[in-house]
Amino acid sequence: MKKLITSKIKNEQKKYNTVVNYVYKCEQLYMKESSKAACFNCAVFEKYRNLALGDRYKQCYNCSACDNVVEAYNKYLYAQAQVDEVIKVYAKVIFEELSIIKPKLISRLDKTTVTWENVFPLNFQEVPDTLMKSIVALIEEDGGKYRIKQ
């Protein structure tokens, strides 16, 4: 596996890890602020429970603490959008590097060996969004449908 991780992949991996850590911090801040504001026990929050979280906060201006929660939630959404962009770039670099080597892959579901060509298209533009995280998972080994056969 170490032989497959080129300097290009390592550079994108650092960016990916930085953004993922930022998302985690934003998520923790959001949880802290919503706990402090007692959002999950708030009558207004309960009333709009069936709305998406962002829409729920649009309805919630009961207390000044809500402003901090909304701000933390918006930071989290922004960070999550950054992750999506970084994943696309990271996946492209991994795809470009590994598509030259075409390593054999192992399906995590049934442990069968499959070829690169059976899983991924010839060029990156044809890779569906559903496989983006699987490409990243080939290196990160966190989630995804496949692993590189050792």
Side-chain angles (χ1 to χ4, degrees), residues 89-135:
V89 174
Y90 189 24
K92 184 175 182 180
V93 169
I94 293 169
F95 182 89
E96 288 172 351
E97 297 291 309
L98 295 183
S99 65
I100 296 167
I101 303 165
K102 296 186 189 327
K104 293 208 183 289
L105 307 172
I106 298 172
S107 169
R108 289 185 61 216
L109 297 174
D110 57 11
K111 306 296 183 216
T112 58
T113 300
V114 291
T115 63
W116 178 269
E117 296 86 0
N118 286 346
V119 176
F120 300 110
L122 291 176
N123 61 43
F124 184 75
Q125 288 72 25
E126 295 173 11
V127 174
D129 288 343
T130 55
L131 277 179
M132 289 292 173
K133 289 183 180 175
S134 286
I135 293 172

Side-chain angles (χ1 to χ4, degrees), residues 50-84:
N50 293 331
L51 294 177
L53 219 44
D55 294 333
R56 232 180 282 173
Y57 289 128
K58 288 176 189 168
Q59 305 295 328
C60 185
Y61 294 105
N62 244 10
C63 60
S64 60
C66 291
D67 293 339
N68 292 339
V69 178
V70 172
E71 186 179 325
Y73 181 70
N74 287 336
K75 260 186 187 176
Y76 170 72
L77 289 180
Y78 175 74
Q80 193 61 49
Q82 284 182 312
V83 166
D84 294 341

Side-chain angles (χ1 to χ4, degrees), residues 6-33:
T6 64
S7 60
K8 281 184 183 178
I9 291 175
K10 280 183 184 176
N11 288 338
E12 292 305 320
Q13 188 177 40
K14 286 178 188 172
K15 292 176 191 174
Y16 171 78
N17 288 332
T18 300
V19 173
V20 167
N21 287 333
Y22 178 66
V23 168
Y24 177 74
K25 287 178 184 174
C26 289
E27 185 177 32
Q28 294 304 306
L29 175 66
Y30 159 64
M31 295 307 287
K32 177 182 156 194
E33 291 298 333

